[in-house]
Amino acid sequence: MFCITLAQVLHGSQFGCRWSDRLFKDLNTTSTKNIRKGSHLSKSLVIVESPTKIRTLKKYLGPDFDVAATVGHIRDLPAKELGIHIEEGFKPKYTTIQGKEKVIGTLKKAAANLNNIYLAPDPDREGEAIAWHTAEVLKKKGRRFHRVLFHELTKNAILAAIASPQQLDKHKFESQQARRILDRLVGYQISPLLWQKVRRGLSAGRVQSVAVWMICERERQIQAFEPREYWSITAQLEGETPPAFSAKLTKKDDKKLDIPDEKSSQAVLKDLDGALFRVEKIVKKTQRRNPLPPFTTSKLQQDAIRRLGFSARKTMVVAQQLYEGLESAEGGPVGLITYMRTDSTRIAQEAIHEVRGLIKEEFGQEYLPAKPHVFKNKKKVQDAHEAVRPTSVLRKPKEIARFLSKDQLALYELIWKRFVACQMKAAVLDQTSVMISAGPYIFQASGSVVRFAGFMALYISSNETQAPSGGGETLPPLSEGMALKCHKLEPKQHFTQPPPRFSEASLVKELEENGIGRPSTYAAILSTIRDKGYVELIKRYFRPTELGFIVNDLLIESFPDILNVDFTAHMEDSLDKIEEGKLDSIALLENFYRSFKKDLEQAEKQMQSVKGEGLSVDLKCPECSNSLSIKIGRNGPFLACSGYPKCTFTRNYIRNEKGRVEMSQTASEQETDEICEKCGSPMVKKQGRFGPFIACSAYPKCKNTRSLSAKGASKPEPTGVRCPEQGCSGELVSRRSRRGKIFYGCTSYPDCTFATWDKPVPKTCHSCDSPFLVEKSTKKEGPHLRCPNKECGYKEFAHS
């Protein structure tokens, strides 16, 4: 019945609409009535994305359903080639992902002779792609595929989804496929150019490069910033009754007062000497503060970063665990939150009814608004899923705490409180502002008191500066015309501050506000740009590395559109339109590639080579007076003389606070607490052409060396995993290759030479009982754990 492949259906108007219609007819579901109607029907198979959902689903679906997992994607573009036939309408070449043969075999065995297959990967674009590829693998005459969307893993939601299956969403798959092709075209065609011009192993990405540009641009704004001095003057005052309070000088002769320096502040203090302070005006007003909407993905990440100290990635990992199902007092696993990848603030009516009942019971009628709060979604919101909320507010954090880990409880409580608070009454604050005259000068004091806490009794945003008890100072009873006693005038010097560097929370906010990426991609973007060495997270703030600056500048010059925020945001909108069926994916790809191909051809000829001539800087070689250039070696960027090979001068460099390149001073040897594993002599830290390294102090008798990372870490770090070599009692620890790359080797080296590039994790494989798993990360699947046994193919995404 499948006359063509799914890829063919999505690639070519040359097949005509009837091919797509025929395929959908083949995949169309039978009526719910017929499916659920009699017990004479054979078993059905439900296929999910993550194996951690299987137990939860089996609990509620009963013996009529078998459940299997794809363990993420099973088919993708080939890893070692572009995999896109550009001249054939951007037709993708899908292949089975390495290690997934066993998974596909398991799925085929589970499907066997069953006619009804329920495809239930996650309800997003990636999940839709997994569903389509699974249908392609399991297609069989007479077999019907039903798309099932689990927005939450609770009994009612699971049974309702099974009872109301949908068709596979062609437009959603086309949108995912278009994104995948765009990312592949950019990544696989720009990255080799960076290998040729800069260094092997580098990569560029359609979205990640824009995030790096944002960080680099902010750093340059900070470097270009010139601080401006200004002064403030605060009066310590007292009325007829305590307490004393402070007021800040704001105006002179009814005009805003600017005090630029100490001399000006002293002149003001001289004017105020002996001045009479009097209350001129008191303004009282009542402010209503409305609750915030329930969490979207980005807002959840921002609040978890600020409040809990989580990373964006950790937030999504823990949220996935809460969604997929955890043990509870209800006897078995249950999903605690709705689907965690969403940009919508929509709430189901059943959830609103339940939370209003809880508010009335727990807080009282006075905290319950007459009508539920309805939050409007922003423009460009897909609204495919509800907001992130508890599946039931009756599962209170304290009551289920014993079933959750510390991190799971912290995140669940955050989601629970935000959701309950969003349906509580607004807070009411009484604010008082007092204007105080002192000759021609005006001082201002303010304070506020919470009259009714409302939602603030439960939840205050991490951005709020107002606590439930009030804000500002506690002001004494004051009246207009009242004379005040001035105890002290305090001048204080200040300087204007540059724009702040991006934290994880503020970068996610910036990406969201500019339409860069989507809820499911933010965590992966932040992880990728760090893993590639383009940025560092120092004291929770992003800073571009020198490599990041170099690659960013090269890409800006050669591919201005790729690093253009508006262009990238427009591309995201176009992908949304494909999903909505309003735009043809091939037309989008053709339009993009037309200009991209020209930029690519020009860059191949004109992009400056850091490997060859290097990037020129305004510095002269101290040995021959030729100009110096920035080049990149094994251990990072360094300065080299343009007169090479006649002059071999090299030197490391730093950038000063203004971003200008300065030569580093030659560093002498530094002692370390390490011992040479070859001869037992002390190891010392040295500075070489390719950066810092560790060398044996017995040189030249012993020539043992080891490169250092940019962070200077060189000590092997234990992984907690025993060496898998038979008969070896060693443990796997982190080490660095001569090129500075981290690998994991045995502590019994050189007696045992086992080594792996992948970080081992002390966790047993559920499929083949391998004593450990390894960390992996791909653009398609994101970070995850994988079995090191290539024949196994087991993957674990909940703990990625």
Side-chain angles (χ1 to χ4, degrees), residues 339-358:
Y339 191 57
M340 63 285 160
R341 295 185 181 95
T342 178
D343 52 8
S344 174
T345 56
R346 177 170 53 84
I347 307 170
Q349 287 300 314
E350 298 85 353
I352 290 177
H353 178 75
E354 186 181 69
V355 74
R356 284 176 64 82
L358 178 129

Side-chain angles (χ1 to χ4, degrees), residues 753-768:
T753 58
F754 176 85
T756 175
W757 292 113
D758 302 318
K759 182 177 181 179
V761 176
K763 199 164 190 181
T764 303
C765 175
H766 296 308
S767 180
C768 71

